[in-house]
Amino acid sequence: TMMPRDDPQIESLISRMTIEEKAGQLTILADAVRPCNPDINPEANARGAKDMLEQIRLGNVGSLFNGVGAAVGLEAQRVAVEETRLGIPLIFASDVIHGMWTIFPIPLGESASFDPDLAERTARATAVEATASGIHWTFAPMVDVARDQRWGRVAESSGEDVHLGVKMAVARIRGFHGSDLKAQDSLLATPKHFAAYGAVTAGMEYNFVDISEPELRDIHLPAFKASFEAGALTVMSAFNDIAGVPSSGNKWLLTDLLR
């Protein structure tokens, strides 16, 4: 469960943080401590790991992504908890999309089964393997409605149907989370991309979106609403703009509508 906004421990911590430390907690960097390909350029990897640990000590990093390995992750976590002023733990994230070590069909292929129970089971298996590898948080599921085959990320979606997209989104979030978010094998889910990323003009990645509010609400938002109702606690903003306003800086989208 999510802590209340006025939790005394959190409020006390925030009140003691400098601007730099607040910025550090909002900073997520590629994991140089646990690179996915450690045998490539090992000397450079060693230097990168040393530099990253120093940035953690300075409070400049809140999260690392796309690294793997529980043992080395524990050392980075020790530095964050024991060698920083505030002792705030790191969050380890990764793009675990359709399986960690056991590879399942891509989300579009899995959605073609029209079987949300299957999607929940594969997400659960993914969570067990990912958390055992030192990962807390996955940037999945993608819940964008995709109706333009020219768009390269159709493969990561559940396709064009809103109802099916809702069912698959809920199933995957339940699978990633499991029955208890505090459990060691619970993997925090991230529905993405908020919002209307699947409606990019001409199917061009990162392109602009020109969409009416009824279409936005009827087609592209239901899966997000269902995801939050299913317990999702994080969300990724989209890479596109809507009516000329970038999603990541869109007050109406992120504050008025989302929050």
Side-chain angles (χ1 to χ4, degrees):
T1 57
M2 188 165 55
M3 286 184 170
R5 290 182 179 224
D6 58 352
D7 179 88
Q9 180 182 355
I10 299 299
E11 291 299 320
S12 173
L13 188 61
I14 292 174
S15 70
R16 291 185 284 124
M17 294 174 74
T18 65
I19 293 294
E20 290 78 11
E21 286 168 333
K22 291 177 180 177
Q25 285 303 303
L26 294 173
T27 298
I28 178 169
L29 299 177
D31 194 338
V33 180
R34 313 178 303 165
C36 292
N37 297 300
D39 296 330
I40 299 175
N41 295 327
E43 293 183 2
N45 285 335
R47 290 194 298 272
K50 181 179 179 180
D51 292 343
M52 182 63 69
L53 289 173
E54 183 58 27
Q55 290 302 309
I56 294 170
R57 287 189 183 93
L58 294 173
N60 294 337
V61 183
S63 180
L64 299 176
F65 77 98
N66 284 354
V68 64
V72 180
L74 282 173
E75 173 58 18
Q77 197 71 280
R78 185 196 65 77
V79 172
V81 173
E82 298 180 6
E83 298 186 23
T84 63
R85 189 175 77 90
L86 298 174
I88 301 173
L90 296 166
I91 300 176
F92 296 119
S94 188
D95 288 291
V96 190
I97 307 302
H98 57 104
M100 180 68 188
W101 304 113
T102 304
I103 303 303
F104 300 106
I106 61 172
L108 184 65
E110 187 176 66
S111 297
S113 69
F114 289 82
D115 190 347
D117 291 338
L118 174 64
E120 183 172 346
R121 295 199 305 273
T122 60
R124 182 88 292 270
T126 298
V128 170
E129 293 185 351
T131 52
S133 303
I135 297 168
H136 306 129
W137 181 23
T138 180
F139 300 140
M142 185 175 116
V143 302
D144 299 304
V145 174
R147 294 180 171 177
D148 189 333
Q149 295 180 27
R150 295 173 295 180
W151 188 42
R153 297 192 71 170
V154 169
E156 200 178 339
S157 76
S158 293
E160 64 182 3
D161 186 76
V162 176
H163 178 72
L164 178 61
V166 165
K167 294 295 186 182
M168 300 303 276
V170 169
R172 288 168 176 147
I173 287 167
R174 288 175 176 167
F176 287 138
H177 284 184
S179 59
D180 182 1
L181 274 172
K182 295 181 180 179
Q184 292 187 359
D185 63 355
S186 180
L187 184 65
L188 189 63
T190 308
K192 62 183 186 183
H193 306 82
F194 197 82
Y197 190 37
V200 287
T201 301
M204 295 178 65
E205 181 74 334
Y206 301 170
N207 208 0
F208 64 90
V209 170
D210 187 8
I211 192 171
S212 68
E213 186 171 341
E215 183 178 351
L216 176 67
R217 290 184 179 273
D218 290 347
I219 296 173
H220 299 281
L221 295 184
F224 287 100
K225 182 175 184 293
S227 296
F228 299 133
E229 290 174 346
L233 296 177
T234 73
V235 64
M236 184 186 295
S237 61
F239 301 114
N240 54 276
D241 67 29
I242 297 178
V245 182
S247 296
S248 57
N250 190 322
K251 179 181 180 299
W252 175 81
L253 183 69
L254 298 184
T255 300
D256 301 341
L257 180 62
L258 175 61
R259 288 191 178 274

